[in-house]
Amino acid sequence: MNTNPAAPLVSVICEIFNRILIPIAPLRAILLTALLAVSTASAYTLEAFAFEDPAQAAAFRELIEELRCLVCQNESLAGSQAELAQDLREEVYRRFRAGEGRDEIVDFLVARYGDFVLYDPPLKPSTYLLWFGPFLLITVSTFFLIRTLLHKRQSPDSALSPREHEQLRELLDPHGSDRDGRNGPDQDKSDRER
Amino acid sequence: MRASLKSFTPLILFLGLVVLLAFGLKTDPRKVPSPLVGKPAPRFSLPALQDPNRTVSNADLAGKLSLVNVWASWCVSCRAEHAELMRLSREEEDLQILGLNWKDDVVAATRMLRVYGDPYRVSAFDPDNQVGIHWGVYGAPETFVVDFEGTIRYKHIGPIDRTVWEQDLLPLIQAIRKTTNGHE
């Protein structure tokens, strides 16, 4: 006899666990391992780019830090895992090994991909606004700020007219209601009690 | 009058800022303008995708009006623009479409053309991005308009559909046709 009404449910859950989940567990472990192996294999390391001369290796690293990946646009060529970045790193590496200098390689890439590959845009007529715009903005706004402040000092806020003085005193004086003959609610009440 | 104009100044400045920012929002930062526009097409020479013995090079561009279309079988947007390319290859007789099969696998690429149709006069096979770098390719699909003199006139980034064709490409292509007919 089944005394526990939940027993069939429990046995079903056990069945599911024993027959399906447990056999999958090793499979899952294998898949996970494979996945990790693949992802570590495809992750690039700078060690792949070998140089005999440490100075040249440093120059290479510095250069790919300065170049921007066009696919993940907020990453440098040095940091990006995009395939295009890998292609461009290899191109830069090949040119470095062939003895090309930094400027030649930068010119090569700029001629093909535009100034966009540079994190540090060059100073030229089309980038004047980019370089000088902020300073222009600061200069103009400082000019207007100073002018406004000087203007304020020369003509301070005009004095209150007698009528405005009257209004101000009424607002500030708690017993001001007495004078103009109107009674506030409190006043009213006390009058009736008396 | 002067005072009222002055009181509107912040509003005017604000609206100016709104226009500037709206412009910034509408511009897609992923579309990097190509410095190659207006320059001769970079030199290239690659085997054809479907026939490794045939070479595809600048000679295939000479004297023709071409679309050079960068594509790959793994590229979903290329599949999306494929029907439009098929239509263009049927309907625009003086316009040849050259394919640059980019970072692709020869089996998958040929299968795609066999299954869905081949809009290209010929496709150059560039699995290692050797020519792609020289053309400033940074994704697929990309399409270059190359005129009769072999000069790159325009680069379109992203898939071509009817709207892109009619608004961006066709006016330029008609202009190229017109100037060339005028010379002849």
Side-chain angles (χ1 to χ4, degrees), chain A residues 45-160:
Chain A
T45 52
L46 277 174
E47 273 73 60
F49 301 106
F51 290 95
E52 289 88 41
D53 180 7
Q56 209 183 18
F60 172 74
R61 282 177 193 219
E62 197 179 306
L63 178 56
I64 59 173
E65 288 282 353
E66 282 173 32
L67 297 170
R68 185 188 343 213
C69 173
L70 287 105
V71 180
C72 1
Q73 302 187 336
N74 288 328
E75 286 185 309
S76 70
L77 278 191
S80 178
Q81 294 289 350
E83 264 195 55
L84 181 80
Q86 182 62 27
D87 291 346
L88 290 179
R89 275 194 296 269
E90 277 162 12
E91 184 71 27
V92 171
Y93 177 68
R94 201 158 44 235
R95 286 173 181 272
F96 239 99
R97 298 292 304 216
E100 283 187 27
R102 181 196 173 280
D103 293 347
E104 282 169 281
I105 296 170
V106 167
D107 288 347
F108 170 85
L109 288 173
V110 168
R112 280 151 189 82
Y113 292 98
D115 288 335
F116 195 86
V117 292
L118 305 172
Y119 267 118
D120 189 7
L123 187 61
K124 59 183 190 182
S126 64
T127 58
Y128 281 170
L129 192 66
L130 181 71
W131 278 103
F132 300 122
F135 299 108
L136 190 73
L137 211 62
I138 289 175
T139 315
V140 169
S141 44
T142 313
F143 169 75
F144 278 107
L145 179 71
I146 290 173
R147 206 184 67 157
T148 312
L149 290 178
L150 286 179
H151 190 71
K152 268 252 158 72
R153 178 179 282 182
Q154 278 162 9
S155 57
D157 292 335
S158 55
L160 295 179

Side-chain angles (χ1 to χ4, degrees), chain B residues 68-101:
Chain B
V68 178
N69 176 249
V70 182
W71 69 282
S73 63
W74 47 260
C75 149
V76 182
S77 308
C78 300
R79 194 72 63 81
E81 71 173 1
H82 187 264
E84 182 64 13
L85 293 180
M86 290 300 286
R87 186 188 72 78
L88 293 178
S89 72
R90 276 194 311 272
E91 295 177 10
E92 305 290 329
E93 280 165 11
D94 66 333
L95 180 71
Q96 67 164 353
I97 307 179
L98 285 192
L100 178 64
N101 180 252

Side-chain angles (χ1 to χ4, degrees), chain B residues 66-67 143-147 151-154 169 172-173 176:
Chain B
S66 324
L67 291 184
T143 305
F144 298 85
V145 178
V146 184
D147 68 12
T151 304
I152 294 180
R153 298 291 293 270
Y154 186 71
L169 299 178
L172 171 67
I173 281 166
I176 296 172

